[in-house]
Amino acid sequence: KQWYQRRVRVIGSPVSQTERKLLALPVRNGGLGIPVLTDLAVREHSTSLIATSSLVDAMREQCSAKRYEDEQVSENLKQILQQRVEDYNEQRKQIVASLDERTARLIEQASEKGGSSWLTCLPLERYGFVLNKAEFRDCLRIRYGKELTGVPANCACGSQFNVTHALNCPKGGFVSIRHNEVRDFLANMISQVQSDVEVEPHLQPLEGEQMRLRSAITGDQARPDIRARGFYRAGQQAYFDIKVVNPNSESYVKTATKKVYENAEKQKIRSYNERIINVERGSFVPLIFSTSGGMGRQSETFVKLLCNKISYKSRQNYNDTVRYFRTKLSFLLRKLVLLCVRGTRAIKQTKTCEDTDFQYICFASKLNVNFS
């Protein structure tokens, strides 16, 4: 009961028995890692028996325990961890099967690699790994599909306001800001290993070249998001175009999340790939990220290569570099989602002091006359 009351204060809404089981799962499985202690006690007792079995045997045989520690303890722990992962995966499948389609889709997205990185680190402000209390609560409610409090009934554009609409509505410029922030973050990370990096480079104008695909961008306004010389091959220009998709948009709800990423990648390839290869003699890679923190297949490959280059140049551990990158990107996307949801779209125009004629107002209202 005490846990239930605390949980209500954190999220702000009641938690069902199914949701309670979900929250007991590890973060990578879509939960919060808050265990049900009565269920945990039985499992931990069995784990303790397995982990200490070699020591018990050593005591019975009256021999050195070191002989068992090196050979059996590590093997026992490996089996325990493997079995625990299998149990968590099975529990997740059972819980997701009992949820409605919308919530099950959200849990699937929260279980993607990088989708929960913001929940697995200490809140260190100097690294940007921090959310205030209201932001943290909003992120949890969005993660589990709960209704937000303190939001308007209607958007400034006139449509009904909800999280899905807020992430797609262009009014206020938040969708463009979201895209630009991710672009600048990636460009800054690439610049740590490549000296020639440019944001929104102009492509060479076409002079009679014909593109095979009608969807290819042929105008002079074609501008990929990032250009980096030598990223893939020495001397070759690598172009990247970024898209941050909302996989829970109405047009995507019937499509699997992975398929949404794949379709977005294909769309970018149709727009830029042919022109960049044939005219610029470069390479093109679409970078697709989602508002939930996931990313497309080609983005995964790009992140691995980028982190490998950074770790090699800085002489730091590759795994640490990947963890930092994913966590930094996860917090960035969380804050950009909150910007779309909580940002004010109705901008009130106010006059500045330059638009006001103080001398005329004083004359007209006789403020310069002494009535005493």
Coordinates of all heavy atoms in Angstrom, one line a residue, residues 192-262:
Q192 N 34.3 15.7 -33.9 CA 35.3 15.2 -33.0 C 36.3 14.3 -33.6 O 37.4 14.1 -33.2 CB 34.7 14.6 -31.8 CG 33.8 15.5 -30.9 CD 33.3 14.8 -29.6 OE1 34.0 13.9 -29.1 NE2 32.2 15.3 -29.1
V193 N 35.9 13.7 -34.8 CA 36.8 12.8 -35.5 C 37.1 13.2 -36.9 O 38.0 12.6 -37.5 CB 36.2 11.3 -35.4 CG1 36.2 10.8 -34.0 CG2 34.8 11.3 -36.0
Q194 N 36.3 14.1 -37.5 CA 36.5 14.6 -38.8 C 36.6 16.1 -38.8 O 35.8 16.8 -38.2 CB 35.3 14.2 -39.7 CG 35.0 12.7 -39.8 CD 36.2 11.9 -40.3 OE1 36.4 10.7 -39.9 NE2 36.9 12.4 -41.3
S195 N 37.6 16.6 -39.5 CA 37.9 18.1 -39.4 C 37.0 18.8 -40.4 O 36.7 20.0 -40.2 CB 39.4 18.3 -39.8 OG 39.7 17.8 -41.0
D196 N 36.6 18.2 -41.5 CA 35.8 18.9 -42.5 C 34.3 18.5 -42.4 O 33.9 17.5 -43.0 CB 36.4 18.6 -43.9 CG 35.7 19.4 -45.0 OD1 34.8 20.3 -44.7 OD2 36.0 19.2 -46.2
V197 N 33.6 19.2 -41.6 CA 32.2 18.9 -41.4 C 31.4 20.1 -41.6 O 31.7 21.2 -41.2 CB 31.9 18.4 -39.9 CG1 30.5 18.1 -39.7 CG2 32.8 17.1 -39.6
E198 N 30.3 20.0 -42.4 CA 29.4 21.1 -42.7 C 28.0 20.8 -42.5 O 27.5 19.7 -42.8 CB 29.6 21.5 -44.2 CG 28.8 22.7 -44.6 CD 29.1 23.1 -46.1 OE1 29.8 22.3 -46.8 OE2 28.5 24.1 -46.5
V199 N 27.2 21.7 -41.9 CA 25.8 21.6 -41.7 C 25.0 22.2 -42.9 O 25.3 23.3 -43.3 CB 25.4 22.2 -40.4 CG1 23.9 22.2 -40.2 CG2 26.1 21.5 -39.2
E200 N 24.0 21.4 -43.4 CA 23.2 21.8 -44.5 C 24.0 22.3 -45.7 O 23.9 23.5 -46.1 CB 22.2 22.8 -44.1 CG 21.1 22.3 -43.1 CD 20.0 23.2 -42.9 OE1 20.0 24.4 -43.4 OE2 19.0 22.8 -42.2
P201 N 24.9 21.5 -46.2 CA 25.7 21.9 -47.4 C 24.8 22.0 -48.7 O 23.8 21.2 -48.8 CB 26.7 20.7 -47.5 CG 26.0 19.6 -47.0 CD 25.1 20.0 -45.9
H202 N 25.2 22.8 -49.6 CA 24.5 22.9 -50.9 C 25.1 21.9 -51.8 O 26.3 21.7 -51.8 CB 24.7 24.3 -51.5 CG 24.0 25.4 -50.8 ND1 22.6 25.6 -51.0 CD2 24.3 26.3 -49.9 CE1 22.2 26.6 -50.3 NE2 23.2 27.1 -49.6
L203 N 24.2 21.2 -52.5 CA 24.7 20.3 -53.6 C 24.9 21.0 -54.9 O 24.3 22.1 -55.1 CB 23.6 19.2 -53.8 CG 23.3 18.3 -52.6 CD1 22.2 17.3 -52.9 CD2 24.5 17.6 -52.0
Q204 N 25.7 20.5 -55.7 CA 26.0 21.1 -57.0 C 24.7 21.1 -57.8 O 23.9 20.1 -57.9 CB 27.0 20.3 -57.8 CG 28.4 20.2 -57.1 CD 29.4 19.4 -57.9 OE1 29.6 19.7 -59.1 NE2 29.9 18.3 -57.4
P205 N 24.4 22.2 -58.5 CA 23.2 22.3 -59.3 C 23.3 21.3 -60.5 O 24.4 21.1 -61.0 CB 23.2 23.7 -59.8 CG 24.6 24.2 -59.7 CD 25.2 23.5 -58.5
L206 N 22.1 20.8 -60.9 CA 22.1 19.8 -62.0 C 22.2 20.6 -63.3 O 21.6 21.7 -63.5 CB 20.8 19.0 -62.0 CG 20.6 18.2 -60.7 CD1 19.3 17.4 -60.8 CD2 21.7 17.2 -60.5
E207 N 22.9 20.1 -64.2 CA 23.1 20.7 -65.6 C 22.8 19.6 -66.6 O 23.7 19.1 -67.4 CB 24.5 21.2 -65.7 CG 24.9 22.3 -64.7 CD 26.3 22.7 -64.9 OE1 27.1 22.1 -65.7 OE2 26.7 23.7 -64.3
G208 N 21.5 19.3 -66.7 CA 21.1 18.3 -67.7 C 21.0 16.9 -67.2 O 20.5 16.0 -67.9
E209 N 21.6 16.6 -66.0 CA 21.5 15.2 -65.5 C 20.1 14.8 -65.2 O 19.3 15.7 -64.7 CB 22.3 15.1 -64.2 CG 23.8 15.3 -64.4 CD 24.3 16.7 -64.3 OE1 23.4 17.6 -64.2 OE2 25.5 17.0 -64.2
Q210 N 19.7 13.6 -65.5 CA 18.4 13.1 -65.3 C 18.4 12.1 -64.2 O 19.2 11.2 -64.2 CB 17.8 12.5 -66.6 CG 17.6 13.5 -67.7 CD 16.6 14.6 -67.4 OE1 15.6 14.3 -66.8 NE2 16.9 15.8 -67.9
M211 N 17.5 12.2 -63.3 CA 17.4 11.3 -62.2 C 16.4 10.2 -62.5 O 15.3 10.5 -63.1 CB 16.9 12.0 -60.9 CG 17.8 13.0 -60.4 SD 19.4 12.4 -59.8 CE 20.5 12.9 -61.1
R212 N 16.7 9.0 -62.2 CA 15.8 7.9 -62.6 C 14.5 7.9 -61.8 O 13.5 7.5 -62.3 CB 16.6 6.5 -62.3 CG 15.8 5.3 -62.7 CD 16.7 4.1 -62.5 NE 17.3 4.0 -61.1 CZ 16.6 3.4 -60.1 NH1 15.4 2.9 -60.3 NH2 17.2 3.4 -58.9
L213 N 14.6 8.3 -60.5 CA 13.4 8.3 -59.7 C 12.7 9.6 -59.7 O 13.4 10.7 -59.6 CB 13.8 7.9 -58.2 CG 14.4 6.5 -58.0 CD1 14.8 6.3 -56.6 CD2 13.4 5.4 -58.5
R214 N 11.4 9.6 -59.8 CA 10.7 10.9 -59.8 C 10.7 11.6 -58.4 O 10.6 12.8 -58.3 CB 9.2 10.7 -60.2 CG 9.0 10.2 -61.6 CD 7.5 10.1 -61.9 NE 7.3 9.7 -63.3 CZ 6.1 9.5 -63.9 NH1 5.0 9.6 -63.1 NH2 6.0 9.2 -65.1
S215 N 10.9 10.8 -57.4 CA 10.9 11.3 -56.0 C 12.2 12.0 -55.7 O 12.4 12.6 -54.6 CB 10.6 10.2 -55.0 OG 11.5 9.2 -55.1
A216 N 13.2 11.9 -56.5 CA 14.5 12.5 -56.3 C 14.4 14.0 -56.3 O 13.7 14.6 -57.1 CB 15.5 12.0 -57.3
I217 N 15.1 14.6 -55.3 CA 15.1 16.1 -55.2 C 16.1 16.7 -56.3 O 17.3 16.4 -56.2 CB 15.5 16.6 -53.8 CG1 14.5 16.0 -52.8 CG2 15.5 18.1 -53.7 CD1 14.8 16.3 -51.4
T218 N 15.6 17.4 -57.2 CA 16.4 17.9 -58.3 C 16.6 19.4 -58.3 O 17.4 19.9 -59.1 CB 15.7 17.5 -59.7 OG1 14.4 18.0 -59.8 CG2 15.7 16.0 -59.8
G219 N 15.9 20.1 -57.4 CA 16.0 21.5 -57.4 C 17.3 22.0 -56.7 O 18.0 21.2 -56.1
D220 N 17.6 23.3 -56.9 CA 18.8 23.8 -56.3 C 18.7 23.9 -54.7 O 19.6 24.2 -54.1 CB 19.0 25.2 -56.8 CG 19.4 25.2 -58.3 OD1 19.8 24.1 -58.8 OD2 19.2 26.2 -59.0
Q221 N 17.5 23.7 -54.2 CA 17.2 23.8 -52.8 C 17.6 22.5 -52.0 O 17.5 22.5 -50.8 CB 15.8 24.2 -52.5 CG 14.8 23.0 -52.6 CD 14.4 22.8 -54.1 OE1 14.9 23.4 -55.0 NE2 13.5 21.8 -54.3
A222 N 18.1 21.5 -52.8 CA 18.5 20.3 -52.1 C 19.6 20.5 -51.2 O 20.7 20.9 -51.6 CB 18.8 19.2 -53.2
R223 N 19.4 20.2 -49.9 CA 20.4 20.4 -48.9 C 20.3 19.3 -47.9 O 19.5 19.4 -47.0 CB 20.3 21.8 -48.2 CG 20.4 22.9 -49.2 CD 20.2 24.3 -48.5 NE 21.2 24.6 -47.6 CZ 21.3 25.7 -46.8 NH1 20.3 26.6 -46.9 NH2 22.2 25.9 -46.0
P224 N 21.2 18.3 -47.9 CA 21.2 17.3 -46.8 C 21.6 18.0 -45.5 O 22.1 19.1 -45.5 CB 22.3 16.3 -47.3 CG 22.5 16.5 -48.8 CD 22.2 18.0 -49.0
D225 N 21.5 17.3 -44.4 CA 21.7 17.9 -43.1 C 23.2 18.0 -42.8 O 23.6 19.0 -42.2 CB 21.0 17.1 -42.0 CG 19.5 17.3 -42.1 OD1 19.0 18.4 -42.3 OD2 18.7 16.3 -42.0
I226 N 24.0 17.0 -43.1 CA 25.4 17.0 -42.7 C 26.2 16.5 -43.8 O 25.9 15.5 -44.5 CB 25.6 16.2 -41.4 CG1 24.7 16.7 -40.2 CG2 27.1 16.2 -41.0 CD1 24.8 15.8 -39.0
R227 N 27.4 17.1 -44.0 CA 28.4 16.6 -44.9 C 29.7 16.4 -44.1 O 30.1 17.3 -43.3 CB 28.7 17.6 -46.0 CG 29.8 17.1 -47.0 CD 30.2 18.2 -47.9 NE 30.7 19.4 -47.2 CZ 31.9 19.5 -46.7 NH1 32.8 18.5 -46.8 NH2 32.3 20.6 -46.1
A228 N 30.4 15.3 -44.2 CA 31.6 15.0 -43.5 C 32.6 14.3 -44.5 O 32.3 13.2 -45.0 CB 31.4 14.1 -42.3
R229 N 33.7 15.0 -44.8 CA 34.7 14.4 -45.7 C 35.5 13.3 -44.9 O 36.0 13.5 -43.8 CB 35.6 15.5 -46.2 CG 36.7 15.0 -47.1 CD 37.7 16.1 -47.5 NE 37.0 17.1 -48.3 CZ 36.9 17.0 -49.6 NH1 37.5 16.0 -50.3 NH2 36.3 18.0 -50.3
G230 N 35.6 12.1 -45.6 CA 36.5 11.1 -45.1 C 35.9 10.2 -44.0 O 36.6 9.5 -43.3
F231 N 34.6 10.3 -43.8 CA 34.0 9.6 -42.7 C 34.0 8.1 -43.0 O 34.3 7.2 -42.1 CB 32.5 10.0 -42.4 CG 31.9 9.4 -41.2 CD1 32.2 9.9 -39.9 CD2 31.1 8.3 -41.3 CE1 31.6 9.3 -38.8 CE2 30.5 7.7 -40.2 CZ 30.8 8.2 -38.9
Y232 N 33.6 7.7 -44.2 CA 33.6 6.3 -44.6 C 34.9 5.9 -45.4 O 35.5 4.9 -45.1 CB 32.4 6.0 -45.4 CG 31.1 6.0 -44.6 CD1 30.2 7.0 -44.8 CD2 30.8 5.0 -43.7 CE1 29.0 7.0 -44.0 CE2 29.7 5.0 -42.9 CZ 28.8 6.0 -43.1 OH 27.6 6.1 -42.4
R233 N 35.3 6.8 -46.3 CA 36.5 6.5 -47.1 C 37.3 7.8 -47.2 O 36.8 8.9 -47.2 CB 36.1 6.1 -48.5 CG 35.5 4.7 -48.6 CD 35.2 4.3 -50.0 NE 34.5 3.0 -50.1 CZ 34.2 2.4 -51.2 NH1 34.4 3.1 -52.4 NH2 33.6 1.3 -51.2
A234 N 38.6 7.6 -47.2 CA 39.5 8.8 -47.3 C 39.2 9.6 -48.5 O 39.2 9.2 -49.6 CB 41.0 8.3 -47.3
G235 N 39.0 10.9 -48.2 CA 38.8 11.9 -49.3 C 37.4 11.9 -49.9 O 37.0 12.8 -50.6
Q236 N 36.5 10.9 -49.5 CA 35.2 10.9 -50.1 C 34.2 11.7 -49.2 O 34.3 11.5 -47.9 CB 34.7 9.5 -50.3 CG 33.3 9.4 -51.0 CD 32.8 7.9 -51.0 OE1 32.8 7.3 -50.0 NE2 32.4 7.5 -52.2
Q237 N 33.3 12.4 -49.8 CA 32.3 13.1 -49.0 C 31.2 12.1 -48.6 O 30.7 11.4 -49.4 CB 31.7 14.2 -49.9 CG 32.6 15.2 -50.4 CD 33.1 16.3 -49.4 OE1 32.8 16.0 -48.2 NE2 33.7 17.3 -49.8
A238 N 30.8 12.2 -47.3 CA 29.7 11.4 -46.8 C 28.6 12.4 -46.4 O 28.8 13.4 -45.7 CB 30.1 10.6 -45.6
Y239 N 27.4 12.2 -46.9 CA 26.2 13.0 -46.7 C 25.2 12.3 -45.8 O 25.0 11.1 -46.0 CB 25.6 13.4 -48.0 CG 26.4 14.4 -48.8 CD1 27.3 13.8 -49.7 CD2 26.3 15.7 -48.7 CE1 28.1 14.7 -50.5 CE2 27.1 16.6 -49.5 CZ 28.0 16.0 -50.4 OH 28.8 16.9 -51.2
F240 N 24.7 13.0 -44.9 CA 23.7 12.4 -44.0 C 22.4 13.3 -44.0 O 22.5 14.5 -43.9 CB 24.2 12.3 -42.5 CG 25.5 11.6 -42.4 CD1 26.7 12.2 -42.5 CD2 25.5 10.2 -42.3 CE1 27.9 11.6 -42.4 CE2 26.7 9.5 -42.2 CZ 27.9 10.2 -42.3
D241 N 21.3 12.7 -44.0 CA 20.0 13.4 -43.8 C 19.2 12.8 -42.7 O 19.1 11.6 -42.6 CB 19.2 13.4 -45.1 CG 18.2 14.6 -45.1 OD1 18.7 15.8 -45.1 OD2 17.0 14.4 -45.2
I242 N 18.7 13.6 -41.8 CA 18.2 13.2 -40.5 C 16.6 13.4 -40.5 O 16.1 14.3 -41.1 CB 18.8 14.0 -39.3 CG1 20.3 13.8 -39.3 CG2 18.1 13.7 -38.0 CD1 21.0 14.9 -38.5
K243 N 16.0 12.4 -39.9 CA 14.5 12.5 -39.7 C 14.2 12.0 -38.3 O 14.6 10.9 -38.0 CB 13.8 11.8 -40.8 CG 12.3 12.0 -40.7 CD 11.5 11.3 -41.8 CE 10.0 11.6 -41.7 NZ 9.3 11.0 -42.9
V244 N 13.4 12.8 -37.6 CA 13.0 12.3 -36.3 C 11.5 12.0 -36.4 O 10.7 12.9 -36.6 CB 13.2 13.4 -35.2 CG1 12.7 12.8 -33.8 CG2 14.7 13.8 -35.1
V245 N 11.1 10.8 -36.4 CA 9.7 10.4 -36.6 C 9.0 10.1 -35.3 O 9.6 9.7 -34.3 CB 9.7 9.1 -37.5 CG1 10.3 9.3 -38.8 CG2 10.3 7.9 -36.8
N246 N 7.7 10.3 -35.4 CA 6.8 9.9 -34.3 C 6.1 8.6 -34.7 O 5.2 8.6 -35.4 CB 5.8 11.0 -34.0 CG 4.8 10.6 -33.0 OD1 5.0 9.7 -32.2 ND2 3.6 11.3 -32.9
P247 N 6.6 7.5 -34.2 CA 6.0 6.2 -34.7 C 4.6 5.9 -34.2 O 4.0 4.9 -34.7 CB 7.0 5.1 -34.1 CG 7.6 5.8 -32.9 CD 7.7 7.3 -33.2
N248 N 4.1 6.8 -33.4 CA 2.7 6.6 -32.9 C 1.7 7.6 -33.6 O 0.6 7.7 -33.1 CB 2.7 6.8 -31.4 CG 3.5 5.8 -30.7 OD1 3.5 4.6 -30.9 ND2 4.3 6.3 -29.7
S249 N 2.1 8.2 -34.7 CA 1.2 9.0 -35.4 C 0.1 8.1 -36.0 O 0.2 6.9 -36.2 CB 2.0 9.7 -36.6 OG 3.0 10.5 -36.1
E250 N -1.0 8.8 -36.3 CA -2.2 8.0 -36.8 C -1.9 7.2 -38.1 O -2.4 6.2 -38.3 CB -3.4 9.0 -37.0 CG -3.9 9.6 -35.7 CD -5.1 10.5 -36.0 OE1 -5.5 10.6 -37.2 OE2 -5.6 11.1 -35.0
S251 N -1.0 7.8 -38.9 CA -0.7 7.1 -40.2 C 0.3 5.9 -39.9 O 0.5 5.1 -40.9 CB 0.0 8.1 -41.1 OG 1.1 8.7 -40.5
Y252 N 0.8 5.7 -38.7 CA 1.7 4.7 -38.5 C 1.2 3.6 -37.5 O 1.9 2.6 -37.3 CB 3.0 5.2 -37.9 CG 3.8 6.1 -38.8 CD1 4.6 7.2 -38.2 CD2 3.9 5.9 -40.1 CE1 5.3 8.0 -39.0 CE2 4.6 6.8 -41.0 CZ 5.3 7.8 -40.4 OH 6.1 8.7 -41.2
V253 N 0.1 3.8 -36.9 CA -0.4 2.9 -35.9 C -0.6 1.5 -36.3 O -0.5 0.5 -35.5 CB -1.7 3.5 -35.2 CG1 -1.4 4.7 -34.4 CG2 -2.8 3.7 -36.3
K254 N -0.9 1.3 -37.6 CA -1.0 -0.1 -38.1 C 0.3 -0.6 -38.7 O 0.3 -1.8 -39.2 CB -2.1 0.0 -39.2 CG -3.5 0.4 -38.8 CD -4.1 -0.5 -37.7 CE -5.5 0.0 -37.3 NZ -6.0 -0.9 -36.2
T255 N 1.3 0.1 -38.6 CA 2.6 -0.4 -39.1 C 3.6 -0.6 -37.9 O 3.6 0.1 -37.0 CB 3.3 0.7 -40.0 OG1 2.3 1.1 -41.0 CG2 4.5 0.2 -40.7
A256 N 4.3 -1.7 -38.0 CA 5.3 -2.1 -37.0 C 6.3 -1.0 -36.9 O 6.7 -0.3 -37.9 CB 6.0 -3.4 -37.3
T257 N 6.8 -0.7 -35.7 CA 7.8 0.4 -35.5 C 9.0 0.2 -36.3 O 9.5 1.2 -36.9 CB 8.2 0.4 -34.0 OG1 7.0 0.5 -33.2 CG2 9.1 1.6 -33.7
K258 N 9.6 -1.0 -36.4 CA 10.7 -1.2 -37.2 C 10.4 -0.9 -38.7 O 11.3 -0.4 -39.4 CB 11.2 -2.7 -37.1 CG 11.7 -3.0 -35.7 CD 13.0 -2.3 -35.4 CE 13.6 -2.7 -34.0 NZ 14.8 -1.9 -33.7
K259 N 9.3 -1.2 -39.1 CA 8.9 -0.9 -40.5 C 8.8 0.5 -40.8 O 9.0 1.0 -41.9 CB 7.5 -1.6 -40.8 CG 7.2 -1.6 -42.3 CD 8.1 -2.5 -43.1 CE 7.7 -2.6 -44.6 NZ 8.6 -3.4 -45.4
V260 N 8.3 1.3 -39.7 CA 8.3 2.8 -39.9 C 9.7 3.3 -40.1 O 9.9 4.2 -41.0 CB 7.7 3.4 -38.6 CG1 7.8 4.9 -38.6 CG2 6.2 3.0 -38.4
Y261 N 10.7 2.8 -39.4 CA 12.0 3.3 -39.6 C 12.5 2.9 -41.0 O 13.2 3.7 -41.7 CB 13.0 2.6 -38.6 CG 12.6 2.9 -37.1 CD1 13.1 2.0 -36.1 CD2 11.9 4.0 -36.7 CE1 12.8 2.3 -34.8 CE2 11.6 4.3 -35.4 CZ 12.0 3.4 -34.4 OH 11.7 3.6 -33.1
E262 N 12.2 1.7 -41.4 CA 12.6 1.2 -42.7 C 12.0 2.1 -43.8 O 12.7 2.4 -44.8 CB 12.2 -0.3 -42.9 CG 12.7 -0.9 -44.2 CD 12.3 -2.3 -44.3 OE1 12.0 -3.0 -43.3 OE2 12.3 -2.9 -45.5

